[in-house]
Amino acid sequence: MGNMINLDSFAGGALQEKFNIAFKEVLENIADPNTPHKTKRKLSVELTFITDEDRELSVVVIETKTKLAQSMGVATKIIIDRDGKGGIIASEYGKQVKGQTYIRVNEETGEIIEPSNHEVDMKGIKLVK
């Protein structure tokens, strides 16, 4: 049996175009480092035939469907505190340098205050990025 239709030119090339768009979407999802590599991806081409009563004419609806890997979640840490005025403040907790310690800052001048002893006095401490 020979080819009844040419898939490249079917529906004015729409079948080929829709396939190419969906295929590119799958390839981009595979290449995305934020998706798990082991997840199977799927591309389906669906042709739906809607026929009239005489069965002499049929409308063909072309659809492509993709099943892709979901993007992986990203976690971070935040520090949550109160601002002393009844409000809540938060800041992202960045990576700390090994051995890093806190500093005290004069709130009026912005000058760094050297700690006089090893007591932890939280007054004047600011989160520095």
Side-chain angles (χ1 to χ4, degrees):
M1 177 175 178
N3 291 342
M4 296 178 82
I5 60 168
N6 181 339
L7 297 177
D8 292 337
S9 61
F10 189 68
L15 176 61
Q16 183 68 52
E17 182 180 0
K18 288 178 105 17
F19 174 82
N20 287 342
I21 291 168
F23 190 65
K24 182 179 179 189
E25 187 179 336
V26 171
L27 295 178
E28 286 174 349
N29 185 259
I30 290 170
D32 184 350
N34 295 310
T35 61
H37 71 280
K38 289 186 177 184
T39 301
K40 294 178 183 177
R41 280 76 167 178
K42 187 183 230 182
L43 181 140
S44 301
V45 177
E46 185 175 291
L47 304 178
T48 304
F49 297 83
I50 305 165
T51 307
D52 65 0
E53 190 175 339
D54 294 333
R55 300 174 193 223
E56 293 177 353
L57 180 67
S58 185
V59 173
V60 181
V61 179
I62 303 166
E63 294 179 287
T64 55
K65 298 176 184 177
T66 57
K67 183 178 177 185
L68 306 174
Q70 295 297 315
S71 183
M72 295 182 290
V74 177
T76 190
K77 295 177 183 177
I78 59 171
I79 298 171
I80 305 167
D81 203 354
R82 297 236 176 233
D83 65 4
K85 301 174 188 170
I88 292 183
I89 57 174
S91 181
E92 185 173 15
Y93 180 77
K95 293 188 184 245
Q96 302 297 307
V97 177
K98 188 173 182 175
Q100 183 175 349
T101 187
Y102 68 90
I103 60 172
R104 291 189 334 140
V105 178
N106 182 317
E107 291 189 26
E108 292 174 7
T109 65
E111 183 180 341
I112 297 174
I113 304 169
E114 293 293 326
S116 59
N117 57 29
H118 292 296
E119 288 181 35
V120 178
D121 179 9
M122 300 303 281
K123 187 175 180 186
I125 293 178
K126 291 199 174 222
L127 186 61
V128 179
K129 281 192 155 194

